Amino acid sequence: LLSECFNLHDFEAIARRTMKKGAWGYYSSAADDEITLRENHSAYHRIWFRPQILVDVANIDLSTTMLGTKVDAPFYVTATALGKLGHPEGEVLLTRAARSHNIIQMIPTLASCSFDELVDARQGDQVQWLQLYVNKDRDITKRIVQTAERRGCKGLFITVDAPQLGRREKDMRLKFTDSGSNVQKGTKTDNTQGAARAISSFIDPSLSWADIPWFQSITKMPIILKGVQRVEDVLRAVEAGVQGVVLSNHGGRQLDFARSGIEILAETMPVLRQHGLDKKIDVFVDGGVRRGTDIIKAMCLGAKGVGIGRPFLYAMSTYGQAGVERVMQLLKDEMEMNMRLIGCAKIEDLHPGLLDTRGLFVHSNSTPVDSLSHITYDPLVVPSQ
Ligand code: HOC
């Protein structure tokens, strides 16, 4: 039963047992030995809290502002491709769930639903961003960006960590065939090498810093580089005049042995502060977030928001929109309780002093005990779909 899913790991365990194997293979796979996939999550285990006491925590306020939008919690639905692999209705369910929790959805270039469907599903003053894979044909890219702006998207997140597809062996082995996706028209697909390869051949590997002014000339949306992995590039992004970066390694799906977003965040924010640049650029982070405490840690370190991908896909694939909403609620509940326990009533009051990060930069190859490839919850509850 949905009400018996007590945390995000439960959804993953059920998804693994019940999803079609090609879909599970595509969503869950990561590059090479999946070391970065696991590190994304375990890095959070190397950060501890230093709670402060005797603070009035009767009322906890999780609301915050991301790129000018007031949201009810500091996490957003990040872009993930091929939603219809998991559920016949696809990403539109994420749009509706995001609405009900007043959080932002990032629309993926490679969504199964069409861009129009996802924008049309928006309600009231709901806010969406666009995630962009840059097409070799820049006219197509320009059209996508300008359509997004015209249709009300409030941020352009350009993916910069994928000049070539990472090698996801689970996905390749399961030889998924790409039916029902909304891949860019006119693109030839190769369905024999897994889902990711089938849909990615249009992406331009020549994308470089020199292209940023062109993007700035074709849109007024804030531009955010998604997939930044070192502080030097954050500084370069400030210089280039973009509004933000997402510290991300693409959920471990691209370069194996890329460091976790949370570690890069801990490296980045002190340097930005030291140079007085922390107000000049908004820093987001994603990858491996499974607990409210993970989100709190990222916000303490100075993130403006935290992206979550796979957990929403697993919840959508097993329980549809209700599952996604439950995941969002669980995260909010975990955040509220743990904010109280560390002695902080508001997101803006979170600060690095609430954390002990001494162990963060000390890497070990231990596997997280709670989840990912090592879940042993028994007996498993079979979802009623
Ligand atoms: C080189 C292109 O984000 C995934 C999706 C699609 C990847 C395209 C990468 O599977 O991670």
Side-chain angles (χ1 to χ4, degrees):
L1 286 181
L2 183 52
S3 59
E4 289 173 42
C5 287
F6 293 119
N7 59 45
L8 276 55
H9 305 305
D10 289 345
F11 284 93
E12 180 167 345
I14 294 173
R16 184 162 57 122
R17 303 282 175 92
T18 60
M19 282 177 69
K20 291 203 191 96
K21 73 181 171 127
W24 168 258
Y26 177 62
Y27 287 175
S28 65
S29 63
D32 294 359
D33 295 315
E34 305 193 341
I35 305 295
T36 289
L37 174 78
R38 288 194 290 277
E39 165 64 4
N40 277 351
H41 181 57
S42 13
Y44 282 98
H45 295 191
R46 302 198 299 271
I47 302 176
W48 298 78
F49 286 114
R50 302 176 67 245
Q52 55 201 17
I53 55 165
L54 294 177
V55 176
D56 176 357
V57 287
N59 296 305
I60 303 291
D61 180 5
L62 297 180
S63 67
T64 187
T65 300
M66 292 184 206
L67 298 175
T69 300
K70 178 114 193 278
V71 287
D72 284 0
F75 57 89
Y76 58 88
V77 181
T78 195
T80 48
L82 300 184
K84 285 192 183 170
L85 281 185
H87 191 288
E89 288 181 68
E91 299 85 1
V92 78
L93 299 180
L94 303 176
T95 312
R96 293 186 197 131
R99 167 68 188 170
S100 77
H101 277 275
N102 193 27
I103 62 170
I104 296 175
Q105 176 194 28
M106 190 190 294
I107 297 179
T109 298
L110 293 172
S112 303
C113 295
S114 71
F115 176 78
D116 283 339
E117 277 176 285
L118 296 177
V119 170
D120 290 344
R122 201 160 69 201
Q123 281 178 40
D125 57 0
Q126 181 172 4
V127 167
Q128 292 167 317
W129 297 326
L130 177 74
Q131 174 269 334
L132 182 75
Y133 281 119
V134 178
N135 198 301
K136 287 173 189 154
D137 181 336
R138 291 301 158 88
D139 288 338
I140 295 181
T141 297
K142 184 172 174 185
R143 201 170 60 236
I144 293 173
V145 170
Q146 294 189 335
T147 304
E149 181 164 4
R150 192 166 20 88
R151 300 235 44 211
C153 287
K154 300 290 185 216
L156 176 65
F157 286 67
I158 305 175
T159 295
V160 294
D161 58 13
Q164 180 181 343
L165 188 70
R167 189 177 160 88
R168 299 110 185 238
E169 292 166 11
K170 204 193 300 172
D171 183 32
M172 290 160 76
R173 250 183 220 117
L174 292 171
K175 292 230 178 17
F176 153 86
T177 52
D178 171 34
S179 57
S181 72
N182 177 50
V183 176
Q184 304 206 3
K185 299 200 173 42
T187 304
K188 275 210 181 103
T189 62
D190 167 7
N191 284 346
T192 62
Q193 302 261 318
R197 197 162 306 278
I199 57 177
S200 61
S201 53
F202 70 91
I203 294 169
D204 188 354
S206 78
L207 182 69
S208 76
W209 286 105
D211 291 301
I212 302 300
W214 179 74
F215 284 103
Q216 289 163 326
S217 78
I218 62 166
T219 184
K220 291 200 165 37
M221 285 186 285
I223 293 176
I224 298 89
L225 304 181
K226 178 174 179 296
V228 175
Q229 302 193 24
R230 57 190 207 143
V231 65
E232 292 89 333
D233 283 341
V234 178
L235 295 173
R236 190 137 187 212
V238 176
E239 238 170 68
V242 299
Q243 281 79 359
V245 290
V246 185
L247 306 178
S248 166
N249 54 42
H250 211 115
R253 295 162 77 80
Q254 288 296 105
L255 175 68
D256 206 10
F257 290 97
R259 293 177 303 155
S260 67
I262 192 73
E263 182 177 329
I264 305 162
L265 181 69
E267 166 185 285
T268 295
M269 295 314 296
V271 177
L272 289 181
R273 285 189 198 106
Q274 190 191 329
H275 291 86
L277 296 173
D278 51 314
K279 305 272 177 303
K280 285 250 182 259
I281 191 155
D282 286 345
V283 180
F284 299 86
V285 66
D286 70 27
V289 172
R290 298 294 181 271
R291 286 286 186 186
T293 46
D294 298 341
I295 301 170
I296 294 174
K297 289 171 184 176
M299 300 308 287
C300 284
L301 287 173
K304 282 282 180 212
V306 174
I308 299 180
R310 286 188 185 91
F312 294 140
L313 288 179
Y314 297 146
M316 181 184 81
S317 305
T318 49
Y319 295 99
Q321 183 181 341
V324 182
E325 288 184 23
R326 178 151 174 92
V327 163
M328 291 170 179
Q329 191 58 51
L330 284 168
L331 289 171
K332 283 181 172 172
D333 292 348
E334 289 183 12
M335 282 196 74
E336 181 178 334
M337 186 192 74
N338 288 296
M339 295 267 294
R340 204 166 267 129
L341 293 177
I342 62 168
C344 216
K346 293 198 290 267
I347 295 295
E348 70 211 43
D349 292 345
L350 293 170
H351 59 88
L354 291 165
L355 301 180
D356 176 350
T357 55
R358 285 172 302 170
L360 177 57
F361 297 95
V362 181
H363 292 241
S364 75
N365 273 337
S366 68
T367 307
V369 289
D370 57 4
S371 73
L372 300 174
S373 52
H374 295 273
I375 303 163
T376 52
Y377 290 136
D378 265 326
L380 265 175
V381 188
V382 177
S384 48
Q385 302 241 21

